[in-house]
């Protein structure tokens, strides 16, 4: 059996875990090394089982704990070539770190098979499609201004999808953010809103996917209830009856979320 959770997920920091047996992968490390290790301990995950750290991009809410973590723990780091180069130039990875560019191919990481695919953001950014040792497949896509063909291709057929539900459009437009930031978030190189996320989840439900994690919710422009309500509303509008085993879970901001089996 394979499992997914996030240690923390939101505009203030992101880190997710994919586990199968004694092995696990981490995706991003957007809070301090201490906060991340504390969360791993709470889940009963010793670092001896960590096979690799996958990075989506260089923004601080995805790499804040990276420098200290790599200073103290010898773990291979995977990501897009531009992201890894930028992090090295920023001094966030030590010279001794094992950095592995993973674009354009499937890479074995422990017993997992990992494929990176590009997402549309304002810096080079990627999502991940991960095949667990038991054959189960999950896809994670956050920090994307829209659902491109390559993103849709990698979401299709997954047993679990972790998808960004960053903001409620009304909350963003009438909220406190400055105009330039609102425009950036709404743009095709920004973030995905609840409505687009819900539309995609409905499509994937119809295709047979039963497990959905709503990720990277904005503290200022969204809430778990709003994100989940958007999914329920879209399903009701369609008149669709999901399989009773379908699970949609909004990930918690500052603590580990419940494990999701896939």
């Amino acid at each position: 059996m394979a499992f997914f959770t996030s240690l923390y997920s939101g505009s203030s920091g992101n880190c997710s875990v994919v586990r199968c047996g004694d092995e696990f992968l981490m995706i991003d490390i957007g809070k301090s090394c201490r906060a991340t290790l504390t969360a791993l301990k709470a889940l009963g995950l010793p670092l001896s089982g960590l096979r690799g750290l996958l990075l989506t991009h260089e923004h601080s809410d995805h790499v804040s704990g990276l420098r200290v973590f790599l200073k103290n723990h010898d773990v291979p780091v995977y990501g897009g070539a531009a992201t890894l180069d930028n992090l090295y130039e920023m001094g966030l990875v030590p010279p001794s770190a094992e950095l592995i560019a993973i674009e354009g191919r499937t890479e074995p990481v422990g017993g997992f098979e990992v494929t990176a695919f590009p997402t549309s953001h304002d810096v080079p950014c990627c999502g991940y499609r991960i095949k667990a040792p038991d054959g189960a497949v999950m896809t994670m896509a956050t920090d994307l201004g829209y659902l491109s063909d390559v993103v849709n291709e990698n979401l299709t057929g997954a047993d679990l999808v972790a998808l960004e539900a960053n903001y409620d459009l009304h909350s963003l437009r009438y909220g406190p953010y400055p105009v330039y930031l609102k425009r950036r978030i709404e743009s095709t190189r920004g973030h995905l809103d609840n409505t687009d996320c819900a539309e995609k989840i409905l499509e994937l439900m119809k295709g047979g996917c039963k497990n959905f994690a709503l990720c990277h919710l904005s503290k200022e422009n969204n809430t778990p209830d709003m994100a989940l309500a958007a999914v329920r509303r879209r399903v009701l509008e369609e008149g669709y009856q999901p399989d009773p085993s379908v699970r949609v879970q909004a990930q918690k901001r500052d603590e580990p979320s419940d494990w999701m089996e896939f």
Side-chain angles (χ1 to χ4, degrees):
M1 293 182 292
F3 299 86
F4 170 85
T5 191
S6 58
L7 304 186
Y8 42 83
S9 178
S11 51
S12 57
N14 298 274
C15 180
S16 297
V17 168
V18 183
R19 173 173 69 87
C20 189
D22 294 330
E23 293 186 303
F24 70 96
L25 306 176
M26 284 199 326
I27 304 173
D28 291 331
I29 179 167
K31 290 189 177 182
S32 70
C33 178
R34 176 180 294 181
T36 304
L37 293 178
T38 298
L40 288 173
K41 184 177 181 180
L43 292 174
L45 293 175
L47 281 179
S48 59
L50 179 59
R51 297 296 179 254
L53 175 57
L54 315 179
L55 299 179
T56 59
H57 63 298
E58 66 201 54
H59 283 162
S60 61
D61 58 324
H62 295 262
V63 299
S64 284
L66 181 64
R67 184 182 63 81
V68 174
F69 184 83
L70 292 180
K71 182 179 178 181
N72 294 283
H73 305 285
D74 185 20
V75 175
V77 178
Y78 299 82
T83 295
L84 298 179
D85 287 345
N86 290 341
L87 290 170
Y88 186 83
E89 292 175 3
M90 294 160 66
L92 294 182
V93 293
S96 60
E98 183 181 5
L99 305 180
I100 302 169
I102 193 175
E103 295 161 300
R105 70 180 191 280
T106 297
E107 181 79 12
V109 184
F112 299 87
E113 295 179 11
V114 179
T115 305
F117 56 90
T119 64
S120 179
H121 204 41
D122 54 3
V123 297
C125 186
C126 67
Y128 289 101
R129 186 176 174 101
I130 300 169
K131 184 177 181 180
D134 67 353
V137 175
M138 68 84 58
T139 298
M140 184 164 196
T142 65
D143 298 81
L144 62 166
Y146 74 104
L147 292 157
S148 66
D149 290 344
V150 69
V151 171
N152 286 324
E153 179 183 343
N154 280 278
L155 293 174
T156 301
D159 300 297
L160 181 145
V161 166
L163 187 60
E164 178 172 62
N166 181 253
Y167 65 96
D168 168 74
L169 184 57
H170 183 274
S171 298
L172 175 67
R173 289 182 174 175
Y174 295 96
Y177 279 5
V179 172
Y180 81 89
L181 185 54
K182 293 178 181 181
R183 288 176 177 170
R184 171 189 172 266
I185 292 169
E186 272 196 64
S187 77
T188 57
R189 299 184 67 202
H191 291 277
L192 202 67
D193 75 348
N194 290 346
T195 300
D196 289 340
C197 176
E199 185 69 33
K200 188 62 189 180
I201 285 177
L202 172 62
E203 178 186 327
L204 293 168
M205 280 183 188
K206 291 180 176 180
C209 185
K210 296 182 179 180
N211 302 287
F212 301 93
L214 309 184
C215 300
H216 208 310
L217 276 66
S218 168
K219 182 178 180 180
E220 293 79 11
N221 303 307
N222 209 359
T223 67
D225 286 345
M226 293 170 75
L228 291 168
V231 176
R232 287 194 296 268
R233 183 167 55 249
R234 185 65 191 95
V235 170
L236 288 170
E237 288 172 350
E238 187 75 5
Y240 180 68
Q241 293 292 329
D243 187 290
S245 61
V246 167
R247 183 179 184 185
V248 183
Q249 176 177 289
Q251 301 304 98
K252 298 178 181 178
R253 172 174 302 281
D254 296 314
E255 61 183 296
S257 296
D258 293 339
W259 285 108
M260 300 184 72
E261 181 181 346
F262 67 97

